[in-house]
Amino acid sequence: MRTQADKAARFRELHQRPGAFIIPNPWDAGTAKLLAAMGFEALATTSLGLANTLGSATVSLDAIIENCRVISEATDLPVNADLENCGADDPKTAAKAIARAAEAGVVGGSIEDSTGNREHPIYDFSLAVERVQAAVEAARALPFPFTLTARAENFLWGRKDLDDTIKRLQAFEAAGADVLYSPGLYDIGTIKTVVSALKRPFNLVMGFADPTLTVEQIAAAGVKRISVGGAMERHALNAFLRCAREMKDQGAFSFVRDMAPVKEVREMFTASRG
C-alpha cells in the first residue's frame, strides 16, 4: 500500500514529466477500481458525477469530502478532488476544505472562482485571488506536497472573456497555485493561447472541449493534464436511460446483449490494487 506521501510525490512527478497525462474521473469505488485496473496513473473526483448519482442538481461539501474518502480508499492511485468553490465565499473558511480533503485521502484538489450563485456566478477578481492565496497557504501547511489547482470558470458561465480568464489564471499562478484550469475552452487555438500565457501546468477538461482532439494534439498545445469531468458518468447515465426507455416504450430488453461481463469486472476489481 502506498502512503499518502508516496501518492503525493507520484502525483507531482506526473506533472513534471514530458507530455500530457490523462486523469479520468470516477464517481464511486467501483469505477475507481476499474480505472485503476486499466492502468491509469491517477484519478480525479467529479462533483457533477456525484450530484447525478445522488439525484441532485447540487452537492454539499460534506458529500464531496465523503466521496473523496471513498475513491481514495478504493485504490493506491493518487486522487485529485473537485472541491467546487470549497463550500464558502470567505477565503479562510473556503481554505479549510483543503485540509478536510487531505484528511479524506486525496493528494490534490481544486478551488474555483465560481460562486454557485446564478445571479452572480463569478467572484470578483480580488476576492477570487484572495481565495486562492488562502487555499495555497492551507495546502502548504500540510505534511505532504498537496497539488493545488486553481480554476477560472468564466467560460462555463457564458462569460467568454479570454483576457479576463487569462488575467485570473496568471494571478492564481502568482498566488502559488500548482496547476491552472479553465473549463469550457473548446478549440485548440484558444487552448494554445491560454496555455502559452502560463508557466505552470494546465488541466484541460474534455467534457467541454472539441471531442475530436487527441492526446497528441492536446500535448502539443502545451497541456499537461487531461480530465473529463462528469463526461463518463453522463455517458453511463445516457446508457441507463436508453435501457429504461427500451423497456418502458418498447417492452424490449435487447440492451442485455451489451452488459459488461461479470467475470471480467470482478477480475478487474481484484486487480485494481495490484
Side-chain angles (χ1 to χ4, degrees), residues 124-139:
D124 292 339
F125 177 80
S126 59
L127 178 57
V129 175
E130 288 177 24
R131 285 163 47 80
V132 173
Q133 290 172 333
V136 168
E137 291 176 6

Side-chain angles (χ1 to χ4, degrees), residues 24-29 31-32 35 44-57 67 71 82 205 207 227-242:
N25 301 74
W27 53 93
D28 58 16
T31 50
L35 291 168
T45 68
T46 163
S47 63
L48 174 59
L50 173 61
N52 288 343
T53 64
L54 297 176
S56 174
N67 187 240
I71 291 176
D82 174 2
V205 58
S227 61
V228 293
M232 293 178 72
E233 192 277 338
R234 290 168 63 195
H235 187 82
L237 187 59
N238 193 44
F240 175 89
L241 291 172
R242 286 200 304 269

Side-chain angles (χ1 to χ4, degrees), residues 215-272:
V215 172
E216 183 179 6
Q217 292 171 316
I218 295 167
V223 172
K224 178 58 61 178
R225 195 172 82 192
I226 306 169
S227 61
V228 293
M232 293 178 72
E233 192 277 338
R234 290 168 63 195
H235 187 82
L237 187 59
N238 193 44
F240 175 89
L241 291 172
R242 286 200 304 269
C243 296
R245 286 174 181 140
E246 182 181 1
M247 291 188 291
K248 181 68 170 61
D249 299 339
Q250 303 173 33
F253 308 90
S254 67
F255 63 85
V256 300
R257 301 190 189 105
D258 300 320
M259 293 187 298
V262 173
K263 183 175 183 294
E264 179 183 353
V265 170
R266 287 176 176 169
E267 288 175 350
M268 293 176 76
F269 286 160
T270 302
S272 62

Side-chain angles (χ1 to χ4, degrees), residues 3-45:
T3 66
Q4 191 170 25
D6 291 336
K7 293 178 184 180
R10 177 57 179 155
F11 198 44
R12 284 294 177 96
E13 289 170 4
L14 292 176
H15 291 82
Q16 294 165 357
R17 74 184 186 188
F21 71 96
I22 299 174
I23 181 168
N25 301 74
W27 53 93
D28 58 16
T31 50
K33 290 182 178 183
L34 292 175
L35 291 168
M38 293 181 70
F40 286 100
E41 299 174 281
L43 304 173
T45 68

